[in-house]
Amino acid sequence: YKQGRYRADKKELLDRLKMLREEAQQEGIGIRLHLGTEIFYRAGLEEKLMRQELGTLNDTDFLLVEFSPFEEYLYIRNAMEELLGMGYCPVAAHVERYQCLVKDATRAAQLRDMGCRIQVNTGSITGENGLGARHFVWKLLKRELVDYLGTDAHNTKTRRPAMRRCAELLYKKCSREYAQELLFENAARELFQ
């Protein structure tokens, strides 16, 4: 969801989800699909959330929140505090894009300490999003500050999912327990109960 750009309402999204589930079943694709929205944060968003106009991740209290890559850390922190105060568990989407966090990785730890979750893209783990993103993400992974993985797959040509290569790297460079949490357990426990 991004005001003025991507604004499908909840009913439209539910209709699309139903259609996609039916198509997957007809094709014999054994996958469970859930509704979720990545929400681009901007002032006034809280009002839309109070009116339940925006979707959370699988109707949980978890909210996937995106910021501008050039946003100031204070703005991000204050926004996350506001969402936490409303009873949500905000998930900072693809934190490797936020220059204020890349410059100071302790800020990602501060967000976690507040109660936020951290999500990174698989392409940043594998190096597809550049060496700077890869270096930063691995710094977070070594400190076990990442909670969720996302593919950010917009299509199958230029932004394909990179899950297999990502999983191989996680099992190779992280503890088996942490790799399992990132690949399976965190989302299953918190988002898809």
Side-chain angles (χ1 to χ4, degrees):
Y1 173 85
K2 187 172 186 180
Q3 182 71 30
R5 194 163 174 200
Y6 308 112
R7 295 187 328 201
D9 67 21
K10 200 166 183 180
K11 183 188 177 325
E12 181 181 347
L13 293 173
L14 287 168
D15 290 344
R16 289 181 185 184
L17 177 64
K18 181 181 177 200
M19 185 176 70
L20 187 57
R21 283 177 173 163
E22 289 169 357
E23 190 146 332
Q25 184 176 14
Q26 287 174 0
E27 294 292 324
I29 301 170
I31 188 171
R32 290 183 351 196
L33 299 168
H34 302 276
L35 189 60
T37 304
E38 179 183 52
I39 299 171
F40 189 88
Y41 188 87
R42 61 181 289 218
L45 187 72
E46 295 84 1
E47 293 171 20
K48 290 187 174 296
L49 288 167
M50 285 190 287
R51 292 192 305 262
Q52 297 183 340
E53 293 177 17
L54 302 176
T56 61
L57 297 176
N58 192 31
D59 269 340
T60 66
D61 292 334
F62 289 80
L63 195 63
L64 184 63
V65 185
E66 178 181 18
F67 294 92
S68 165
F70 308 106
E71 203 60 74
E72 296 291 326
Y73 175 67
L74 188 60
Y75 181 83
I76 292 173
R77 192 195 72 206
N78 289 345
M80 296 304 229
E81 281 180 347
E82 182 74 26
L83 295 170
L84 284 162
M86 294 177 70
Y88 292 102
C89 182
V91 178
H94 40 69
V95 298
E96 67 272 23
R97 293 182 185 172
Y98 309 141
Q99 291 185 13
C100 66
L101 298 182
V102 172
K103 288 177 188 172
D104 185 355
T106 63
R107 291 174 171 170
Q110 291 170 2
L111 292 175
R112 284 276 309 303
D113 290 344
M114 289 170 46
C116 302
R117 301 294 197 278
I118 303 293
Q119 180 265 322
V120 299
N121 290 338
T122 56
S124 297
I125 291 172
T126 62
E128 292 177 37
N129 296 334
L131 291 177
R134 184 173 195 256
H135 177 73
F136 174 71
V137 166
W138 279 103
K139 190 183 298 187
L140 297 182
L141 288 166
K142 285 178 182 167
R143 294 179 60 192
E144 296 191 0
L145 292 174
V146 177
D147 299 289
Y148 302 111
L149 305 175
T151 63
D152 208 29
H154 289 225
N155 60 57
T156 59
K157 300 277 189 257
T158 59
R159 291 178 87 169
R160 301 174 296 133
M163 290 304 298
R164 178 174 288 144
R165 178 71 181 131
C166 175
E168 290 168 357
L169 287 169
L170 289 172
Y171 282 119
K172 182 178 178 181
K173 295 185 174 193
C174 299
S175 72
R176 179 167 180 74
E177 294 78 22
Y178 187 49
Q180 288 286 115
E181 286 177 18
L182 290 172
L183 291 165
F184 306 105
E185 295 168 8
N186 289 349
R189 180 180 62 252
E190 296 179 336
L191 304 177
F192 305 115
Q193 304 170 19

